[in-house]
């Protein structure tokens, strides 16, 4: 029997977070208490903000349902390790959908993980080799979590930085946001020594260190970190302007594109045009456009037009080879 009420409540909460309905009798048996005690504990959880729903019947069941606010989450050891490993794997590359919020979640989780579980996470990640890797440069998850924690805590951040030409420098910054841009992570921050805003490619950052010195957030000139990054890319020599027309409504295209590209402009109810600054290779951009599952026409630049044309021809040839093989096998079988 569990006599420690806080410990019993945590155990009960862990059970209820499993997506199923728990009969009162089974909960009482698991906890080693009476059904009456289970009912009292359920009331305590409701007072703490957990939306526990009860069903009527001979045995009466309980389940945790979606509420207006997210109460604290309780994870067992295996669940915590699994989530941390998954977030670390995604954070290593700028995977769409694994944005700053996911990195902040990883930073919070790793901060509270006991050392024994941190060791298990590191051991698992070191032992597992994925079949495929992201096309972007690899980033140590620890680098992202330190930076995300500094962003959330409004702490000044020091790090070593290697520019595109190989020049190294030390930077003291007031980090504003992490932005996932296609295959890369960028940090938008105020550079204290240069007294100006800057963007930093995270794969070129090393030795990040949160100083513990708090700062009052400054107003970003563009109001949006994604917009600031987009404008910053426009000023770089390794970027290019892309103009693509889509035979689909603007809202449909926007839902399938990463937000940092900016919104497409509606032409009419069934078509739109995207104008964006891109720093990825034209080959990757061509593949990314083809993967949207929408009809499109590249207007600019000419290099991207040629690349899309060559990619289309290559895919047509690949499909033709497959059809020829099926036809040949059909004749041999007959």
């Amino acid at each position: 029997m569990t006599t420690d009420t806080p410990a019993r409540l945590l155990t009960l909460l862990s059970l209820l977070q499993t997506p199923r309905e728990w009969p009162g009798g089974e909960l009482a048996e698991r906890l080693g208490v009476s059904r009456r005690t289970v009912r009292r504990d359920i009331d305590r959880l409701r007072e703490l903000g957990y939306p526990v729903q009860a069903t009527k019947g001979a045995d009466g069941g309980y389940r945790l349902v979606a509420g207006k606010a997210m109460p604290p989450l309780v994870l067992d050891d295996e669940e915590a390790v699994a989530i941390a490993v998954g977030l670390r794997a995604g954070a290593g590359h700028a995977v769409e959908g694994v944005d700053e919020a996911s990195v902040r979640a990883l930073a919070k989780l790793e901060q509270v993980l006991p050392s024994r579980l941190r060791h298990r996470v590191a051991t698992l990640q070191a032992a597992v080799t994925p079949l495929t890797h992201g096309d972007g440069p690899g980033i140590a998850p620890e680098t992202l979590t330190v930076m995300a924690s500094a962003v959330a805590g409004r702490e000044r951040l020091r790090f070593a930085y290697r520019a595109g030409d190989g020049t190294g420098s030390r930077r003291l910054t007031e980090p504003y946001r992490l932005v996932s841009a296609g295959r890369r992570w960028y940090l938008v921050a105020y550079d204290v020594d240069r007294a100006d805003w800057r963007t930093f490619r995270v794969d070129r950052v090393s030795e990040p260190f949160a100083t513990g010195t708090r700062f009052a957030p400054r107003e970003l000139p563009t109001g949006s970190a994604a917009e600031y990054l987009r404008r910053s890319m426009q000023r770089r020599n390794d970027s290019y302007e892309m103009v693509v027309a889509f035979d689909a409504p603007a809202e449909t295209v926007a839902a399938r594109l990463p937000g940092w590209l900016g919104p497409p402009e509606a032409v009419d109810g069934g078509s739109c045009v995207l104008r964006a600054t891109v720093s990825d290779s034209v080959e990757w951009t061509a593949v990314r456009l083809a993967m949207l599952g929408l009809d499109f026409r590249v207007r600019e630049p000419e290099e991207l037009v040629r690349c899309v044309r060559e990619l289309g021809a290559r895919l047509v040839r690949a499909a033709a080879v497959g059809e020829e093989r099926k036809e040949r096998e059909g004749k041999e079988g007959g």
Side-chain angles (χ1 to χ4, degrees), residues 6-220:
R8 190 176 66 245
L9 286 175
L10 287 175
T11 303
L12 174 59
L13 183 57
S14 180
L15 292 171
L16 290 174
Q17 285 176 343
T18 304
R20 54 161 287 192
E21 182 170 299
W22 289 87
E26 187 174 348
L27 288 176
E29 183 179 349
R30 288 286 192 107
L31 299 172
V33 296
S34 67
R35 296 189 186 188
R36 183 179 179 183
T37 300
V38 169
R39 289 194 293 271
R40 285 202 303 265
D41 287 347
I42 292 292
D43 289 337
R44 291 190 180 99
L45 289 179
R46 288 169 176 161
E47 291 171 1
L48 292 172
Y50 291 91
V52 182
Q53 185 181 73
T55 56
K56 296 179 180 180
D59 203 19
Y62 301 96
R63 68 165 56 240
L64 198 62
V65 298
K68 294 181 180 179
M70 186 181 72
L73 187 66
V74 176
L75 302 172
D76 61 29
D77 286 4
E78 286 70 24
E79 292 166 341
V81 169
I83 292 173
V85 170
L87 286 174
R88 273 172 160 251
H93 296 276
V95 182
E96 289 178 26
V98 183
D99 54 14
E100 187 197 351
S102 300
V103 177
R104 289 202 312 270
L106 176 59
K108 290 178 181 178
L109 180 58
E110 294 205 337
Q111 184 179 11
V112 299
L113 280 180
S115 58
R116 58 185 173 80
L117 294 188
R118 269 196 232 103
H119 177 71
R120 283 179 60 185
V121 170
T123 301
L124 269 174
Q125 190 175 34
V128 175
T129 300
L131 181 62
T132 58
H133 294 270
D135 293 314
I139 302 169
E142 293 82 359
T143 297
L144 280 173
T145 55
V146 169
M147 299 176 100
S149 296
V151 169
R154 296 177 180 174
E155 291 183 55
R156 285 188 171 183
L157 182 73
R158 289 188 183 275
F159 53 83
Y161 191 69
R162 176 180 49 82
D165 60 2
T167 304
S169 61
R170 304 289 302 184
R171 302 298 182 100
L172 175 63
T173 64
E174 295 176 356
Y176 184 79
R177 287 288 186 278
L178 283 166
V179 181
S180 171
R183 299 174 297 152
R184 297 189 178 104
W185 282 102
Y186 289 86
L187 173 70
V188 176
Y190 185 83
D191 192 314
V192 176
D193 295 328
R194 290 158 180 76
D196 199 4
W197 289 92
R198 292 286 191 272
T199 60
F200 302 95
R201 269 180 51 174
V202 177
D203 59 291
R204 294 176 178 170
V205 169
S206 60
E207 304 171 41
F209 172 72
T211 65
T213 302
R214 307 281 178 174
F215 64 88
R218 302 172 188 266
E219 184 176 353
L220 192 65

Side-chain angles (χ1 to χ4, degrees), residues 280-292:
D280 289 320
S281 67
V282 291
E283 292 80 9
W284 170 251
T285 302
V287 171
R288 183 66 184 83
L289 289 170
M291 291 172 62
L292 293 177

